[in-house]
Amino acid sequence: MKEFILALDQGTTSSRALLFDRDLQPVAAAQREFPQIYPQPGWVEHDPEVLWESQLAVLLEAIERAGCGPSAVAAVAVANQRETVVVWNRRTGQPIHNAIVWQCRRTADRCEELKARGVVDRIRDKTGLVLDAYFSATKIEWILDHVDGARAAARRGELLCGTIDSWLIWKLTGGQRHVTDFTNASRTMLFDVHALRWDDELLDLFGIPVSMLPEVVPSSGPAAVCALPGWNPRQPAVAGIAGDQQAALFGQGCFEPGQAKNTYGTGCFLLMNVGADPVVSRHGLLTTLTAQTRPGAPAYALEGSVFIGGAVLQWLRDELKILTHAADSDPIARSIPDTGGVYLVPAFAGLGAPHWDMYARGALLGLTRGTGRAQIVRAALESIAYQCADVAAAMAADGGRPLAVLRADGGAAANDFLMQFQADLLACPIERPACMETTAQGAAALAALDLGWHTPQTLAARPAEKTFVPVLSAENRQTRLAGWRKAVARAADWARNP
Ligand code: ADP
């Protein structure tokens, strides 16, 4: 009988499920969107039960589409949106509040207050993270502070919390297992990424009892047994778990120090494996754990994210209405030799790494009477590459060497113009894999290691579908980058009160 790995890819806007064969090729997939809840401007929630129902529905649908029956599932793998948290009752399994999503800014003031108390360095030293509302700790604290009786219940050991992987595995196991993996733990701002344990001092700071937290397990290995009633008598193990970006890093085969991937989605996430010795960034990047395949053998990554990546094309399409489809940007950009000096800085939500300027705002600079749609579309595509080049430069400075090659994935990586321009700006080749489902594939690969279907060597051996080689002269590159830096300087700090 043919066997498959069932990979769940629980994202911010949709839940997906894919079945992978022994060659880690996808054979069936299903996807379902779920509602975003915006209780106030800047706040974002998901209903944990709705999220689970959508995940369960696509899980069943993918198996149905493959026509193989549930008993063909040899193992389950989970990749998930990171940092988003759920708090639920240990006995009833009922969430006590909606999940607070990574994008949610409700704890920004609390973070400012903590910064004023001077804990920034302490948090960075232990967790590798910058003190920000983005991470889970202040979100859990907020739920404990705002749900009636929650703090007392937490103290009595009645509540559990976890990132989305924990919540899904709790559901998959019928409430039997409360676990998370190292990659997800490293995004909570409660986990010491050097000592590899929940940190008492930080738990104290946020008033979170350790009894609420999941057991931390390796990203590859039998973490839990699926016990969905009536689903699969074989009871496959959850054998691969990783936060989405680390899953993609693994799926791209970046197992060696210096290897890096960039996911070009709504935003962009550039991660570089730095090996067994954590690198503390001096240039605004995060230090985070990579998917761990052997207990006690951690490896670290540097991470930088760009808030507006492919989303800049959605803006051209939905707000400016000068594009019908994101993919049309490629031929439009190629219809002109350059932007004629036009730069678009898409700082719609401030600028992420390495600038960390929450007061920067979008700017379109260098306009002349000759500027038209093509120049603006091309400047938008180029802006994605410029922002990623800034992150790559920070990474090179922190890691002590420039990128040798960058592996690309995500929706906007389908754009050949963007990939070529990125190669030109970085002066390094960009490799794009044949299978762009690197997140789900990475989680499946972690499970495949556990099943003995693959070794790190066979996983690393998968070839690129297309390589983009830099052709731009060094002088030309420097001129363009200098123009970008000038444009960013004009957009910087724009929205700060006078
Ligand atoms: P996410 O996982 O963040 O939702 P995806 O990886 O699905 O994102 O990518 C979607 C993003 O990619 C959108 O912002 C869209 O504008 C962009 N995109 C999709 N196709 C193209 C294309 N051919 N060229 C440029 N951008 C694209």
Side-chain angles (χ1 to χ4, degrees):
M1 187 181 76
K2 271 199 152 179
E3 290 188 307
F4 302 99
I5 292 168
L6 172 65
L8 311 181
D9 180 0
Q10 206 304 304
T12 310
T13 54
S14 73
S15 297
R16 289 146 42 77
L18 292 95
L19 280 175
F20 287 92
D21 65 15
R22 280 183 176 256
D23 297 326
L24 292 180
Q25 294 307 308
V27 295
Q31 175 165 5
R32 194 169 287 197
E33 289 195 8
F34 52 83
Q36 307 291 311
I37 302 167
Y38 304 111
Q40 289 187 26
W43 292 29
V44 192
E45 298 179 356
H46 294 154
D47 180 333
E49 295 291 1
V50 170
L51 205 147
W52 162 246
E53 281 156 24
S54 69
Q55 192 64 70
L56 180 61
V58 291
L59 173 167
L60 299 173
E61 202 178 317
I63 294 172
E64 176 100 28
R65 285 195 183 159
C68 61
S71 55
V73 173
V76 175
V78 177
N80 58 286
Q81 55 166 317
R82 304 177 303 171
E83 295 105 12
T84 300
V85 286
V86 184
V87 177
W88 69 96
N89 182 292
R90 182 195 292 274
R91 193 175 47 81
T92 65
Q94 298 276 322
I96 66 164
H97 193 273
N98 276 338
I100 301 186
V101 178
W102 58 273
Q103 296 157 323
C104 186
R105 302 303 305 169
R106 79 183 64 192
T107 56
D109 288 348
R110 170 64 171 144
C111 290
E112 289 304 321
E113 183 190 317
L114 287 166
K115 278 180 198 161
R117 278 169 55 182
V119 293
V120 170
D121 290 344
R122 200 91 189 102
I123 287 179
R124 189 192 300 107
D125 289 349
K126 288 187 171 199
T127 68
L129 305 175
V130 296
L131 172 51
D132 194 271
Y134 190 74
F135 305 105
S136 316
T138 56
K139 300 180 194 291
I140 302 170
E141 181 187 48
W142 190 95
I143 292 176
L144 292 181
D145 282 338
H146 290 82
V147 175
D148 260 1
R151 279 226 174 263
R155 271 196 296 272
R156 289 193 301 270
E158 292 168 11
L159 300 183
L160 299 177
C161 70
T163 39
I164 296 301
D165 54 316
S166 294
W167 172 243
L168 294 181
I169 294 168
W170 170 267
K171 286 293 204 182
L172 285 166
T173 61
Q176 297 300 305
R177 286 285 277 159
H178 184 221
V179 296
T180 191
D181 87 304
F182 286 91
T183 65
N184 278 295
S186 73
R187 314 299 297 186
T188 57
M189 216 162 78
L190 296 170
F191 194 72
D192 183 328
V193 294
H194 310 284
L196 300 178
R197 58 167 183 255
W198 300 118
D199 185 78
D200 290 336
E201 184 188 347
L202 295 176
L203 292 174
D204 252 18
L205 180 66
F206 297 106
I208 300 170
V210 72
S211 62
M212 288 183 77
L213 292 166
E215 178 190 340
V216 187
V217 299
S219 308
S220 174
V225 172
C226 288
L228 287 178
W231 176 55
N232 188 346
R234 188 170 167 183
Q235 299 200 320
V238 176
I241 314 171
D244 51 14
Q245 298 309 323
Q246 283 96 331
L249 186 70
F250 198 81
Q252 287 273 24
C254 297
F255 306 146
E256 301 296 325
Q259 292 181 323
K261 71 92 197 174
N262 194 11
T263 299
Y264 296 85
T266 311
C268 298
F269 290 87
L270 180 45
L271 273 79
M272 180 170 79
N273 188 329
V274 295
D277 298 316
V279 173
V280 177
S281 177
R282 284 162 290 111
H283 299 90
L285 304 175
L286 308 176
T287 306
T288 200
L289 283 162
T290 64
Q292 209 184 25
T293 55
R294 282 183 297 125
Y300 297 86
L302 279 171
E303 171 174 331
S305 48
V306 164
F307 299 149
I308 302 291
V312 71
L313 296 161
Q314 292 168 290
W315 179 69
L316 296 185
R317 188 191 61 195
D318 303 339
E319 308 306 325
L320 294 195
K321 302 192 195 310
I322 59 172
L323 269 186
T324 314
H325 303 289
D328 298 343
S329 58
D330 185 316
I332 295 171
R334 285 176 201 280
S335 70
I336 46 173
D338 54 50
T339 64
V342 173
Y343 287 88
L344 173 59
V345 184
F348 304 147
L351 286 170
H355 309 285
W356 291 111
D357 181 351
M358 65 174 143
Y359 299 108
R361 285 297 177 271
L364 189 53
L365 296 126
L367 304 182
T368 63
R369 273 299 291 271
T371 303
R373 171 176 178 249
Q375 284 76 15
I376 293 174
V377 169
R378 183 169 169 136
L381 271 180
E382 291 188 354
S383 77
I384 303 175
Y386 279 120
Q387 293 179 93
C388 295
D390 286 346
V391 176
M395 230 164 239
D398 277 334
R401 59 179 144 181
L403 287 176
V405 53
L406 181 64
R407 300 177 182 184
D409 54 54
N415 192 303
D416 285 4
F417 171 83
L418 172 61
M419 294 295 99
Q420 183 59 48
F421 191 72
Q422 186 74 85
D424 284 336
L425 278 189
L426 296 179
C428 95
I430 310 285
E431 289 181 359
R432 189 172 63 191
C435 172
M436 295 276 268
E437 298 285 359
T438 50
T439 302
Q441 198 181 38
L446 288 162
L449 279 182
D450 179 57
L451 291 174
W453 289 7
H454 278 275
T455 62
Q457 289 72 29
T458 60
L459 288 176
R462 278 169 298 151
E465 174 252 345
K466 190 159 181 184
T467 302
F468 298 85
V469 181
V471 291
L472 202 65
S473 71
E475 191 192 343
N476 206 330
R477 185 174 71 247
Q478 292 308 341
T479 308
R480 286 171 192 237
L481 284 167
W484 168 253
R485 278 194 292 273
K486 208 159 114 187
V488 168
R490 300 289 158 97
D493 215 29
W494 185 263
R496 192 191 289 276
N497 292 330

